[in-house]
Amino acid sequence: MSDNVAAARATPQSPKAGTGWSAELRATFALAWPLVIAQVAQNALQATDVLMMGWLGPEALAAGTLASSFLMPLFLFGVGAVGAVAPLTAQARGRRDIKAIRRVVRQGFWAAIALALLLTPILLQIRTVYGWLGQDPVLAARAEEYIQIAVLMLVPAMGVIVLRSFLSTFDSTRIILVITLGGVIVNAITNYLLMFGNFGLPRLELRGAAIATVLTNLFMLGAMLTYVLRHRRFKRFNILIRFWKPDWPRFREIFRIGTPIGLTVLAEVGLFAAAAILMGRLGTDELAAHAVALQCASLAFMVPLGLGIAATVRVGVACGRKDQEGIRKAGWTSFMLGTGFMAVSALAFILFGPVIVSLFLDPSLPQNQNALMFAATYLAIAGLFQIVDGAQVVAAHALRGLSDTKVPMVMAIFGYWLVGLPVAWLLGYVLDMRGVGIWLGLAAGLAFVAVLLVGRFALRERLGLLRNIDA
């Protein structure tokens, strides 16, 4: 069987040129909703770890937080980098090029291994770095215990992203949701067994949490890989055939597109980390309120994030088949859905902020009153930037579908660090608006980036982003 014939049979649901707006809406929604819930479930993995670390006591929770604060930015950089598999496989699907799909996925695994080899030595310096930063040496030592094991999750976790990108390209997002929910269950059970020494197992505490994280990611990678290798729709791709054969052009292409994505993610994560540091200098109540409001905003953010991933796929497929109208409809459909949802969540945050924050902090306790007041105020401001936050993430992902990542990276770094953070500091400290000023600074940075990214997608033809299509 030729590769082209196999590709045709393996992609029975390949979108057709000329799809109407209503059909695009249905296709985007069907692709995105499992991804949205899967993103929420992914957050639940981290929430489970935090919850059970808290059961171990304040010291374990503090040490685990230090470990996570050091691990997550670097890990998310890696996730962004291997995320280049999504637009590359989507474009190849649009061209009906099975060889390219197989090679991109294979080199995606290579990229995951290379990134793990790069990041592991950095992560293992956690104790030294926190020593330089003046952290409690006891907490730093316990955080190191966690990291020494947790680094083993890098390859399987990034491998999951590679396979998730491949499956999303072919609209198979429900299996991603099922496996992610299974990962939440596996993580909770292994945490319970290993952290606390239940059912006769040794009590490993933070080491147990790290082992659980590794096992959970191995489970999800194994489940996805088994599905891809055995399902009749995907096994024809033979994604592991000649796995050890290098394909340097595609390996470099993944890093060319993926490195700016990783740096963009790192810039945004860094902005919110810096905002937390600024809030911490204001006092405990302000920092606690910030954490509550940010958790609510992060949960709402999962919807446009899932729609953004769908936009990368839909735009990428249309790009691969040289369908300018398909690109337009795919990008703007995801944009309208994302901003529409965020408009609803903004209204909810503004109207019901005090009720929402009371779910996190007991309003019957007098010591919580200041934090509740701050949290409701911050949540109302979060409502104001919900729309621009949704706009920027969907626009960024739509541009990724066109393999346009370098200029959006520059826009994001400039907007977050040279607009958002300075405005937060100016309003919060110089003009003494405190926490309100810091949150307005975050809104300013997100709005600035949103305008640039949405404008870039709108002007994609004039800016030459479709030159490969016109050729």
Side-chain angles (χ1 to χ4, degrees):
M1 180 183 297
S2 71
D3 283 331
N4 288 335
V5 173
R9 294 186 182 179
T11 58
Q13 297 175 2
S14 184
K16 298 178 181 179
T19 300
W21 284 102
S22 60
E24 183 63 42
L25 178 66
R26 290 193 298 272
T28 299
F29 183 79
L31 178 63
W33 76 260
L35 292 173
V36 170
I37 302 175
Q39 288 297 134
V40 175
Q42 193 72 37
N43 279 4
L45 288 171
Q46 301 172 20
T48 302
D49 288 346
V50 172
L51 177 66
M52 293 193 176
M53 285 177 187
W55 293 352
L56 291 173
E59 183 180 289
L61 179 57
T65 301
L66 283 180
S68 179
S69 298
F70 194 69
L71 170 65
M72 291 310 295
L74 293 173
F75 170 63
L76 290 175
F77 166 78
V79 166
V82 299
V85 170
L88 291 174
T89 53
Q91 290 166 17
R93 182 193 178 189
R95 298 191 305 269
R96 304 180 75 82
D97 187 349
I98 190 172
K99 283 185 178 180
I101 294 171
R102 177 169 62 236
R103 290 173 178 175
V104 167
V105 173
R106 186 173 68 207
Q107 294 308 301
F109 287 125
W110 277 49
I113 294 169
L115 285 163
L117 292 174
L118 173 68
L119 297 176
T120 295
I122 301 172
L123 289 167
L124 292 178
Q125 299 304 312
I126 182 172
R127 190 172 183 178
T128 301
V129 172
Y130 277 142
W132 292 339
L133 297 176
Q135 292 290 335
D136 185 324
V138 174
L139 293 180
R142 295 199 67 182
E144 184 182 45
E145 293 177 0
Y146 179 91
I147 288 292
Q148 286 175 339
I149 298 172
V151 291
L152 298 175
M153 58 83 77
L154 291 176
V155 171
M158 287 188 282
V160 167
I161 300 302
V162 172
L163 290 175
R164 189 182 75 177
S165 299
F166 172 59
L167 289 167
S168 297
T169 292
F170 292 94
D171 310 319
S172 294
T173 51
R174 294 189 184 187
I175 188 62
I176 297 172
L177 171 58
V178 170
I179 291 173
T180 305
L181 291 174
V184 174
I185 296 171
V186 170
N187 188 59
I189 293 173
T190 50
N191 268 339
Y192 181 73
L193 294 175
L194 297 175
M195 289 175 69
F196 305 101
N198 290 306
F199 295 99
L201 294 173
R203 181 183 175 92
L204 300 176
E205 300 197 348
L206 287 182
R207 285 194 182 94
I211 294 171
T213 297
V214 174
L215 292 176
T216 299
N217 282 283
L218 285 171
F219 161 77
M220 291 194 294
L221 176 64
M224 283 191 188
L225 195 57
T226 300
Y227 182 84
V228 168
L229 294 177
R230 295 180 64 86
H231 193 283
R232 62 182 179 83
R233 188 181 180 200
F234 299 109
K235 64 183 180 181
R236 296 189 181 97
F237 285 90
N238 296 313
I239 62 169
L240 296 184
I241 192 172
R242 294 187 292 275
F243 181 82
W244 299 110
K245 182 181 179 180
D247 188 341
W248 299 119
R250 285 186 172 82
F251 184 77
R252 289 191 294 269
E253 183 79 352
I254 287 173
F255 279 98
R256 184 185 70 80
I257 296 173
T259 300
I261 297 175
L263 291 174
T264 300
V265 174
L266 196 58
E268 186 171 4
V269 171
L271 172 67
F272 283 93
I277 293 172
L278 292 178
M279 294 295 297
R281 293 178 59 186
L282 296 177
T284 302
D285 287 339
E286 286 90 341
L287 183 57
H290 173 79
V292 170
L294 189 59
Q295 183 62 45
C296 295
S298 297
L299 184 61
F301 181 73
M302 293 302 104
V303 174
L305 179 57
L307 286 163
I309 297 171
T312 297
V313 172
R314 300 290 299 172
V315 170
V317 170
C319 179
R321 67 173 185 254
K322 300 182 182 298
D323 178 8
Q324 293 192 33
E325 182 65 13
I327 291 172
R328 183 174 76 91
K329 289 177 178 175
W332 290 121
T333 296
S334 295
F335 179 82
M336 289 185 290
L337 286 172
T339 53
F341 173 83
M342 290 304 248
V344 174
S345 67
L347 190 62
F349 285 176
I350 294 170
L351 295 179
F352 306 109
V355 176
I356 295 172
V357 298
S358 67
L359 299 174
F360 295 84
L361 295 168
D362 188 348
S364 66
L365 299 177
Q367 62 267 33
N368 286 347
Q369 295 308 307
N370 283 338
L372 281 166
M373 178 188 66
F374 288 135
T377 302
Y378 300 159
L379 196 59
I381 299 172
L384 297 177
F385 75 61
Q386 285 290 287
I387 297 176
V388 293
D389 200 12
Q392 64 88 18
V393 71
V394 174
H397 278 79
L399 290 169
R400 290 171 195 174
L402 300 174
S403 297
D404 180 37
T405 58
K406 289 183 180 178
V407 173
M409 172 195 70
V410 174
M411 291 175 171
I413 293 174
F414 185 90
Y416 296 146
W417 286 91
L418 297 181
V419 176
L421 189 60
V423 171
W425 176 81
L426 176 66
L427 296 179
Y429 284 88
V430 177
L431 299 182
D432 200 30
M433 294 176 67
R434 298 177 66 82
V436 170
I438 292 172
W439 273 78
L440 288 174
L442 293 175
L446 291 166
F448 183 87
V449 174
V451 170
L452 291 181
L453 293 179
V454 173
R456 186 168 176 81
F457 183 77
L459 299 174
R460 59 195 177 279
E461 294 183 51
R462 295 185 186 179
L463 294 173
L465 303 185
L466 304 182
R467 57 186 176 274
N468 292 332
I469 296 177
D470 296 331

